[in-house]
Amino acid sequence: MSVTHMILIALAGVGAGAINAVVGSGTLITFPTLVALGYPPVTSTMSNAVGLVAGGVSGTWGYRRELKGQWKRLRWQIPASLIGAGAGAWLLLHLPEKVFVAVVPVLLILALILVVIGPRIQAWARRRAEASGQSAEHVSSRKMAVLVLGTLAVGVYGGYFTAAQGILLIAVMGALLPESMQRMNAAKNLLSLLVNIVAALAYTIVAFDRISWEAAGLIAVGSLIGGFLGAHYGRRLSPNALRAVIVVVGLIGLYRLLAV
């Protein structure tokens, strides 16, 4: 590997780690970079998932304060993410990549729509809860069930093709939970990290020789730094600014996916 390629991959890792901490679609930087440098798509996906674990750790640690008070719900979401990630990793190892990638643009469009209209959905749910005499912060068992199923579905997606899973998680939680953007972002970082860990372990065990460990190592170093930077500056953004960043990055990712 040339020095130029090493620098490009490491810089892509920094950018991906920062964006994952704030939004959750950093793979849309590292995956195309690896493909552009000549790595096969499946190798790029696996190497990327392994490398971005480090960035997920730093991003989650940076948002640890916002995780407080969410564990009652996360105890259900975490198993859903783990099971979904395992299923998604199995799909990547057994199905043609193009089968699932064809669905990605549609999912991303739906996610961006939910991110935009999320505040209106939350306001409607709040008014309905108050009209029925319930607390505006109440999450019904039906909503919790839908949330867990949505988290499971995003876990499958993330285990197969990690790009934009954070946007999908924010969209699902934003439509169902009376939480702030920053707190949902913290939960998203944790759940995405778990999905990446499961996927990375599965790829390492089953397809060790198909991973580019040089590329994965460079992405790991870069994303570790990027995750700290993203968490530091991301929590300073207002809810509307954070939502705007998510939409912009999502649209750029959608363009890049459609342009492939």
Side-chain angles (χ1 to χ4, degrees):
M1 182 186 297
S2 69
V3 175
T4 301
H5 283 191
M6 293 175 65
I7 293 173
L8 288 174
I9 293 173
L11 288 177
V14 173
I19 290 176
N20 275 344
V22 178
V23 182
S25 57
T27 295
L28 296 174
I29 293 178
T30 45
F31 177 77
T33 297
L34 293 179
V35 172
L37 294 177
Y39 292 91
V42 173
T43 295
S44 298
T45 298
M46 294 180 179
S47 305
N48 182 64
V50 172
L52 287 180
V53 167
V57 171
S58 59
T60 301
W61 177 255
Y63 268 93
R64 62 192 181 281
R65 287 183 298 178
E66 285 79 4
L67 284 172
K68 292 181 179 178
Q70 298 195 62
W71 294 105
K72 185 176 180 180
R73 183 187 72 254
L74 285 170
R75 68 180 180 178
W76 296 103
Q77 286 184 274
I78 288 173
S81 285
L82 294 174
I83 294 171
W90 185 90
L91 288 174
L92 180 64
L93 294 168
H94 292 84
L95 295 178
E97 187 174 3
K98 62 182 181 181
V99 173
F100 204 81
V101 172
V103 184
V104 173
V106 177
L107 292 175
L108 191 49
I109 291 172
L110 292 175
L112 291 176
I113 292 173
L114 284 174
V115 169
V116 172
I117 68 175
R120 295 184 181 182
I121 296 175
Q122 287 184 340
W124 172 80
R126 188 175 293 109
R127 289 194 301 269
R128 187 175 179 182
E130 291 173 349
S132 64
Q134 295 178 329
S135 167
E137 303 301 312
H138 175 71
V139 178
S140 67
S141 57
R142 181 181 300 177
K143 278 188 178 180
M144 183 62 73
V146 174
L147 176 66
V148 172
L149 288 175
T151 303
L152 174 67
V154 175
V156 173
Y157 168 87
Y160 190 100
F161 188 72
T162 56
Q165 65 168 317
I167 292 178
L168 293 174
L169 277 171
I170 288 289
V172 171
M173 290 189 289
L176 296 169
L177 299 176
E179 289 283 8
S180 69
M181 283 295 295
Q182 295 291 359
R183 282 171 60 80
M184 287 190 294
N185 199 44
K188 175 268 295 178
N189 284 345
L190 174 62
L191 295 173
S192 296
L193 169 62
L194 294 176
V195 169
N196 273 0
I197 288 175
V198 171
L201 286 174
Y203 303 156
T204 300
I205 293 171
V206 178
F208 186 90
D209 57 335
R210 299 176 68 183
I211 298 171
S212 171
W213 291 100
E214 285 184 325
L218 290 168
I219 291 174
V221 173
S223 67
L224 185 67
I225 297 171
F228 279 117
L229 294 175
H232 178 72
Y233 291 104
R235 63 157 38 93
R236 297 183 180 183
L237 296 174
S238 68
N240 287 336
L242 182 55
R243 190 172 283 106
V245 171
I246 291 173
V247 171
V248 170
V249 173
L251 289 174
I252 293 172
L254 180 62
Y255 168 78
R256 297 191 68 169
L257 286 170
L258 293 176
V260 173

